[in-house]
Amino acid sequence: MANDTTTYETPIENPLDCVEDILKSNNWVFNRLSDEELLVKVSGRHCGYNLIFLWQDDMNALQFTVQYDLRINEAHMDKAAHTLLSLNEGLWMGHFAVPGDSRGPVFRHTSLFRGMGNESVHEALEDLVDIGLSLCEQYYSVFYLLSHANDASAGTATAADDQSLSLALMETVGQC
């Protein structure tokens, strides 16, 4: 009979405990509202973000949300919906949304953690936070334009608005 050399990691009880470790290592102040919910505010290059972590124990799932500190004008919600379709087509993970009740742009991603050990969860969460914030920074100009679009047009897109959004959606190389 062959020896079984498989090793198993100790399963994680609640990934929000790992989230706390990551936030502490970044010196970010956070608020653990319950065993299932954790909030933190961070500053990006362009605006502030609210990071929300929601743990669903019965599904072994963690929903991660990054909220922009912006609001889309109600008159521009149709343009925002069209823009979100274009933006989300190119994403490998997660998606952007603009909930109708708040009109605040968000990035969301849900991760499944069944069978993952503490070390694997920690690495996955670090990547999730890095990728989520990076995407939010990358597409900040899109949501800024939607939140500051020409209000005089009362929902009618101008050629300049369309051109600005097209440019903001373009993938660029390098950084300023």
Side-chain angles (χ1 to χ4, degrees), residues 28-68:
W28 291 342
V29 177
F30 59 90
N31 189 3
R32 179 87 176 250
L33 301 175
S34 69
D35 285 341
E36 296 84 28
E37 189 172 9
L38 189 148
L39 305 172
V40 63
K41 292 183 182 222
V42 299
S43 296
R45 285 188 313 227
H46 307 293
C47 73
Y49 300 105
N50 293 317
L51 280 56
I52 304 166
F53 300 86
L54 299 172
W55 173 240
Q56 185 80 26
D57 190 49
D58 60 331
M59 293 181 165
N60 289 306
L62 179 82
Q63 184 181 70
F64 172 62
T65 303
V66 182
Q67 294 177 327
Y68 284 87

Side-chain angles (χ1 to χ4, degrees), residues 7 9 14-15 21 34-35 38 41 46 58 61 67 89 104 107 109 114 118 125 145 148-149 160 175:
T7 59
E9 293 184 67
N14 186 333
D21 293 340
S34 69
D35 285 341
L38 189 148
K41 292 183 182 222
H46 307 293
D58 60 331
Q67 294 177 327
E89 281 181 343
F107 171 80
H109 180 75
R114 185 172 60 128
N118 210 11
L125 289 169
L145 289 169
H148 291 80
Q175 53 183 335

Side-chain angles (χ1 to χ4, degrees), residues 1 11 16 22 24 33 41 51 55 57-58 69 79 82 100 129 149 158-159 166:
M1 186 160 138
L16 293 184
I22 294 166
K24 287 175 186 174
L33 301 175
K41 292 183 182 222
L51 280 56
W55 173 240
D57 190 49
D58 60 331
D69 189 16
K79 177 167 276 313
H82 177 72
V129 171
T158 65
S166 293

Side-chain angles (χ1 to χ4, degrees), residues 8-157:
Y8 297 96
E9 293 184 67
T10 305
I12 184 88
E13 291 295 319
N14 186 333
L16 293 184
D17 298 335
C18 288
V19 170
E20 283 187 358
D21 293 340
I22 294 166
L23 300 176
K24 287 175 186 174
S25 70
N26 284 303
N27 294 319
W28 291 342
V29 177
F30 59 90
N31 189 3
R32 179 87 176 250
L33 301 175
S34 69
D35 285 341
E36 296 84 28
E37 189 172 9
L38 189 148
L39 305 172
V40 63
K41 292 183 182 222
V42 299
S43 296
R45 285 188 313 227
H46 307 293
C47 73
Y49 300 105
N50 293 317
L51 280 56
I52 304 166
F53 300 86
L54 299 172
W55 173 240
Q56 185 80 26
D57 190 49
D58 60 331
M59 293 181 165
N60 289 306
L62 179 82
Q63 184 181 70
F64 172 62
T65 303
V66 182
Q67 294 177 327
Y68 284 87
D69 189 16
L70 296 171
R71 298 290 170 260
I72 307 297
N73 185 311
E74 191 169 356
H76 299 107
M77 287 297 287
D78 286 341
K79 177 167 276 313
H82 177 72
T83 302
L84 287 172
L85 285 173
S86 298
L87 194 153
N88 285 330
E89 281 181 343
L91 295 182
W92 278 64
M93 63 180 280
H95 67 279
F96 284 97
V98 179
D101 58 342
S102 68
R103 295 191 324 271
V106 298
F107 171 80
R108 281 197 190 113
H109 180 75
T110 301
S111 300
L112 301 175
F113 288 102
R114 185 172 60 128
M116 292 180 72
N118 210 11
E119 188 173 318
S120 300
V121 168
H122 197 275
E123 291 171 352
L125 289 169
E126 283 181 334
D127 291 343
L128 183 61
V129 171
D130 288 345
I131 291 167
L133 286 173
S134 176
L135 287 170
C136 287
E137 291 284 292
Q138 179 180 348
Y139 292 110
Y140 169 81
S141 58
V142 171
F143 295 111
Y144 178 84
L145 289 169
L146 288 168
S147 67
H148 291 80
N150 184 359
D151 293 329
S153 63
T156 306

